[in-house]
């Protein structure tokens, strides 16, 4: 046997061993075209499970997953976990493993727009990652960015928000992008069901603590997401004045980023559980989060019923 042939055999054996040691790529587990319905944590998960039928429970890397139907539409439900990283990871995992045609997000959020009340449901037309920031150097002349950076938005003290670099297939550069647009066709379906949904929303929680005003749906405007639970009136005002946001949360813009990169249409329904520090007393989230989660699921259900196949 020649030394060249012997070396080739060694190289082949080494390659086979390496391939065996590498983790296998995730294979699609279900060819059925499905709408991915995503939420972050338990109250939202319970609300979505309550409106689903023909459910089959699954799990992947610890993430709870359900396949089934909502209003006759095949769905895959996934609880992402709270935070931008969890949301992005679970969204990509769901896209890799299921035949996802559209993404719908249902859950709670903090209200930023002063015209919205606890219980209202915001359906923003775009989402941005408002805590992708530069923490600027403090100088005698104030907070100063590095010389090669220019402000994209008004700062909040040392915090200077900016867009994220987004990779695109076939593009040599990755320009910064702040806003990720919701699919216009999905947004139009939400607008058509807006009035119908208003009459289905709960006003009182399980302890019979009731909202001051009947909840309503608001379609359009902006939402922002970041890695912080916000309970600060000054920062809430800054967020509204700077981004004209209706709501803020900790997942939606990350999901929007992943959906946009993969070319999958998405929409987000967020019911206000609190006012992000804008209320007169202690944060209201734990009082109204179940009511808000149920209302968001109700709006999602009406939307899915009206959504064309």
């Amino acid at each position: 046997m020649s030394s060249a042939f012997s070396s080739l055999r060694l190289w082949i054996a080494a390659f086979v061993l390496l391939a065996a040691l590498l983790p296998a790529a995730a294979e699609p587990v279900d060819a059925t075209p499905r709408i991915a319905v995503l939420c972050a944590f338990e109250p939202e998960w319970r609300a979505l499970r309550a409106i689903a039928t023909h459910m089959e429970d699954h799990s992947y890397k610890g993430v709870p997953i359900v396949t089934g139907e909502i209003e006759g539409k095949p769905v895959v439900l996934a609880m992402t976990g709270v935070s931008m990283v969890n949301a992005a990871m679970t969204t990509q995992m769901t896209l890799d493993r299921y035949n996802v045609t559209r993404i719908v997000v249902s859950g709670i959020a903090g209200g930023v727009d002063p015209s919205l009340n606890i219980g209202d449901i915001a359906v923003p037309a775009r989402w941005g990652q408002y805590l992708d920031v530069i923490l600027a150097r403090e100088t005698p002349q104030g907070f100063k960015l590095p010389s090669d950076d220019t402000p994209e938005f008004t700062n909040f003290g040392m915090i200077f928000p900016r867009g994220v670099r987004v990779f695109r297939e076939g593009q040599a550069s990755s320009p910064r992008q702040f806003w990720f647009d919701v699919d216009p066709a999905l947004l139009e379906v939400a607008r058509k069901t807006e009035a119908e949904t208003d009459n289905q929303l709960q006003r009182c929680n399980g302890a019979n603590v009731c909202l001051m005003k009947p909840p309503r749906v608001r379609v359009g405007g902006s939402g922002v997401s970041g890695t912080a639970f916000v309970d600060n009136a000054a920062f809430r005002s800054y967020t509204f004045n700077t981004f004209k946001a209706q709501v803020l949360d900790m997942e939606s813009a990350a999901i929007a980023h992943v959906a946009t990169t993969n070319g999958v249409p998405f929409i987000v329904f967020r019911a206000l559980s609190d006012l992000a520090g804008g209320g007169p007393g202690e944060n209201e989230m734990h009082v109204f989060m179940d009511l808000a989660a149920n209302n968001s699921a109700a709006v999602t259900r009406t939307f899915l019923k009206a959504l064309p196949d």
Side-chain angles (χ1 to χ4, degrees), residues 270-288:
R270 287 290 185 181
L272 275 62
S273 61
D274 61 277
L275 299 178
E282 188 174 349
N283 187 279
E284 309 90 339
M285 174 186 166
H286 290 287
V287 178
F288 291 112

Side-chain angles (χ1 to χ4, degrees), residues 42-108:
E42 282 291 344
E44 301 163 345
W45 183 243
R46 290 193 299 268
L48 289 175
R49 286 181 64 96
I51 63 172
T53 59
H54 305 93
M55 292 189 295
E56 293 185 12
D57 286 289
H58 311 271
S59 176
Y60 184 68
K61 296 188 182 298
V63 175
I65 298 169
V66 167
T67 52
E69 295 182 359
I70 297 178
E71 292 295 337
K73 304 293 195 305
V75 298
V76 52
L77 312 181
M79 182 165 62
T80 66
V82 175
S83 88
M84 301 285 278
V85 174
N86 280 332
M89 177 187 70
T90 301
T91 303
Q92 187 62 61
M93 181 190 76
T94 305
L95 294 177
D96 289 342
R97 291 175 58 79
Y98 293 89
N99 182 9
V100 175
T101 59
R102 288 158 286 193
I103 295 173
V104 178
V105 182
S106 176
I108 69 174

Side-chain angles (χ1 to χ4, degrees), residues 2-63:
S2 70
S3 59
F5 183 70
S6 178
S7 297
L8 177 61
R9 289 187 63 183
L10 288 173
W11 275 108
I12 293 173
F15 177 80
V16 170
L17 177 60
L18 179 61
L21 293 174
L22 289 173
E27 293 291 334
V29 297
D30 185 346
T32 303
R34 296 184 184 275
I35 301 166
V37 183
L38 307 179
C39 67
F41 75 138
E42 282 291 344
E44 301 163 345
W45 183 243
R46 290 193 299 268
L48 289 175
R49 286 181 64 96
I51 63 172
T53 59
H54 305 93
M55 292 189 295
E56 293 185 12
D57 286 289
H58 311 271
S59 176
Y60 184 68
K61 296 188 182 298
V63 175

Side-chain angles (χ1 to χ4, degrees), residues 220-257:
S222 304
V224 292
S225 306
T227 53
F229 180 85
V230 178
D231 189 31
N232 182 277
F235 194 75
R236 174 183 188 259
S237 296
Y238 162 78
T239 305
F240 176 69
N241 293 332
T242 304
F243 307 108
K244 299 297 182 275
Q246 273 67 58
V247 293
L248 55 79
D249 67 24
M250 299 177 67
E251 298 86 24
S252 295
I255 295 170
H257 187 154

